[in-house]
């Protein structure tokens, strides 16, 4: 199993990590603050509030704000959406141009050649692991597609992960973010890009998410559970960056671009069906996951989806007649090529139909 380990930010995961932000901020920084949720009390030269998951238009708007204030430092504080928007803005501040120039699959796919301006990721939800990944997932409404701007040069300077920031995150956001972390660890573990290194990271993330996700949802102030989920999310980000994902994330890209489905919901609902389909095609690595969970992987994930009350895809307007178009788009998504086996169109259609 060959290994190519990507650059990681300096990572600080601790209760009260936020208090150490000044150590990581250059003294004369002109900061662009990108956030979602409530506006934090952090000094900034310019501010951009990310609403919902970022689109190419959001990134261009954030860039305009940052360029007008000649920002040379970026802080992303919030869920994965705010972190990814900050990541793309930091990258494009250094590289010039606009978001569509650098988008994979649907954009011009221009290469990032300059290191992003220094930026700090401060996640408030435990899910995407965006604080340590090198890609920013961005929607392009006109193209009805979500894709990434990706480069090792986009890596944050530091990730400050403070589990206390998550205590007021509501149940539904905790549930779907946590399902994303669990899903990312499972997909990275069975991915055809996996290595011994990513296996070790991913299996620990699976163990932590299985132990703490329901607890964090039941009692948001359970700091041990919040810490466990923050760690699972971090591990999921390191695993996916170095191993790739799979069919769940392949589907999540077009579903999220065409329907108002939060990313973690799409991932959670699809996960048990993708596991079952891959297993039927002879993927045996799920046996290790069964052992870690002490139960069948697909059944455990389906049980969590039910217990956490994740809505079905049909409740977002996905209908049976949408399945063929979504299958076509999912096959083009960058994550799909890391699925451990090639799933044919009929199998992909089955997986999606079962998730409606
Ligand atoms: Zn994800």
């Amino acid at each position: 199993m060959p290994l190519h380990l990507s650059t990681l930010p300096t990572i600080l995961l601790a209760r009260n990590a936020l208090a150490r932000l000044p150590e990581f901020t250059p003294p004369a920084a002109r900061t662009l603050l990108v956030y979602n949720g409530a506006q934090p009390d952090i000094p900034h030269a310019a501010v951009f509030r990310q609403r919902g998951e970022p689109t190419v238009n959001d990134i261009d708007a954030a860039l305009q704000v940052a360029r007008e204030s000649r920002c040379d430092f970026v802080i992303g504080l919030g869920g994965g959406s705010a972190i990814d928007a900050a990541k793309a803005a930091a990258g494009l501040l250094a590289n010039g141009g606009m978001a569509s120039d650098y988008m994979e699959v649907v954009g011009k796919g221009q290469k990032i050649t300059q290191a992003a301006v220094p930026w700090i990721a401060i996640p408030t939800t435990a899910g995407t692991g965006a604080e340590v990944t090198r890609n920013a997932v961005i929607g392009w409404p006109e193209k009805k597609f979500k894709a990434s701007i990706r480069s090792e040069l986009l890596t944050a300077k530091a990730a400050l992960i403070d589990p206390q920031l998550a205590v007021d995150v509501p149940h539904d956001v905790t549930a779907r973010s946590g399902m994303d972390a669990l899903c990312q660890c499972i997909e990275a573990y069975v991915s055809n890009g996996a290595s011994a290194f990513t296996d070790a990271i991913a299996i620990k993330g699976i163990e932590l998410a299985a132990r703490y996700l329901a607890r964090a949802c039941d009692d948001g102030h359970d700091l041990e559970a919040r810490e466990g989920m923050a760690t699972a999310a971090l591990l999921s980000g390191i695993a996916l960056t170095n191993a790739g994902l799979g069919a769940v994330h392949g589907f999540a890209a077009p579903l999220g671009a065409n329907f108002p489905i939060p990313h973690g919901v799409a991932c959670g609902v699809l996960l048990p069906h993708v596991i079952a389909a891959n297993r039927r095609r002879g993927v045996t690595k799920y046996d290790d996951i069964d052992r870690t969970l002490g139960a069948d992987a697909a059944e455990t994930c389906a049980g969590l989806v039910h217990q956490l009350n994740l809505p079905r895809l049909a409740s977002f307007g996905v209908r049976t007649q949408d399945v063929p178009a979504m299958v076509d788009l999912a096959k083009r998504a960058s994550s799909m090529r890391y699925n451990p086996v090639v799933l044919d169109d009929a199998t992909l259609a089955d997986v999606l139909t079962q998730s409606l």
Side-chain angles (χ1 to χ4, degrees):
M1 285 195 270
L3 172 64
H4 174 139
L5 185 58
S6 274
T7 320
L8 288 172
T10 298
I11 297 167
L12 186 62
L13 191 161
R15 297 178 194 182
N16 253 325
L18 182 60
R20 293 181 57 185
L21 177 60
E23 288 172 41
F24 297 90
T25 308
R30 294 186 59 80
T31 303
L32 168 69
L33 173 65
V34 180
Y35 73 99
N36 57 12
Q39 185 169 345
D41 183 18
I42 289 175
H44 57 268
V47 62
F48 181 78
R49 181 175 178 194
Q50 176 59 48
R51 293 166 199 271
E53 295 178 7
T55 64
V56 284
N57 300 329
D58 292 329
I59 305 306
D60 292 340
L63 276 169
Q64 191 181 349
V65 168
R67 284 171 179 153
E68 278 167 7
S69 299
R70 297 197 309 283
C71 292
D72 54 10
F73 187 72
V74 178
I75 293 173
L77 185 142
S81 297
I83 307 276
D84 272 357
K87 187 185 299 173
L92 270 60
L93 271 176
N95 284 269
M98 49 206 292
S100 57
D101 296 336
Y102 300 93
M103 291 278 280
E104 289 180 353
V105 188
V106 284
K108 292 183 190 157
Q110 205 170 303
K111 289 274 174 278
I112 298 279
T113 57
Q114 305 297 316
V117 302
W119 73 280
I120 309 271
I122 309 172
T124 57
T125 62
T128 61
E131 63 272 20
V132 290
T133 61
R134 59 183 180 219
N135 65 308
V137 181
I138 296 165
W140 194 331
E142 289 77 26
K143 304 228 175 190
K144 297 191 176 296
F145 208 75
K146 265 163 95 175
S148 284
I149 299 177
R150 188 185 314 263
S151 168
E152 211 151 327
L153 298 170
L154 296 181
T155 307
K157 180 177 158 201
L160 303 188
I161 308 166
D162 187 341
Q164 289 181 145
L165 297 177
V167 294
D168 293 321
V169 173
H171 179 282
D172 59 332
V173 179
T174 302
R176 68 194 190 220
S177 308
M179 279 309 294
D180 186 27
L182 174 61
C183 176
Q184 289 175 172
C185 285
I186 292 177
E187 290 213 284
Y189 189 78
V190 301
S191 157
N192 56 34
S195 63
F197 177 87
T198 57
D199 279 0
I201 301 269
I203 207 83
K204 187 68 189 179
I206 292 167
E207 184 195 316
L208 288 171
R211 188 185 310 155
Y212 289 119
L213 176 52
R215 253 178 75 174
C217 289
D218 285 347
D219 174 7
H221 290 262
D222 180 340
L223 266 179
E224 182 191 325
R226 291 294 192 185
E227 206 159 35
M229 286 311 300
T231 308
L234 167 67
L235 297 178
S236 82
I238 299 173
L240 82 87
T241 283
N242 292 288
L245 290 163
V248 175
H249 278 77
F251 268 125
L255 284 170
N258 289 276
F259 301 93
I261 309 172
H263 174 74
V265 170
C267 289
V269 172
L270 284 155
L271 180 60
H273 305 295
V274 168
I275 294 175
N278 282 343
R279 281 197 120 147
R280 280 196 298 273
R281 294 302 190 88
V283 179
T284 56
K285 257 184 122 180
Y286 291 109
D287 298 351
D288 304 339
I289 299 176
D290 292 351
R291 271 193 296 278
T292 298
L293 296 171
D296 178 81
E299 280 173 25
T300 304
C301 294
L304 270 172
V305 168
H306 180 73
Q307 187 187 350
L308 302 180
N309 256 318
L310 257 59
R312 307 290 304 175
L313 299 184
S315 64
F316 299 96
V318 190
R319 299 154 307 167
T320 314
Q321 55 264 44
D322 298 316
V323 168
M326 290 302 110
V327 167
D328 262 1
L329 289 169
K331 288 194 301 186
R332 293 169 54 202
S334 55
S335 293
M336 192 60 92
R337 66 173 180 271
Y338 292 101
N339 198 62
V341 285
V342 176
L343 300 175
D344 58 30
D345 288 17
T347 307
L348 289 172
D350 272 352
V351 163
L352 184 52
T353 304
Q354 286 163 0
S355 310
L356 294 182

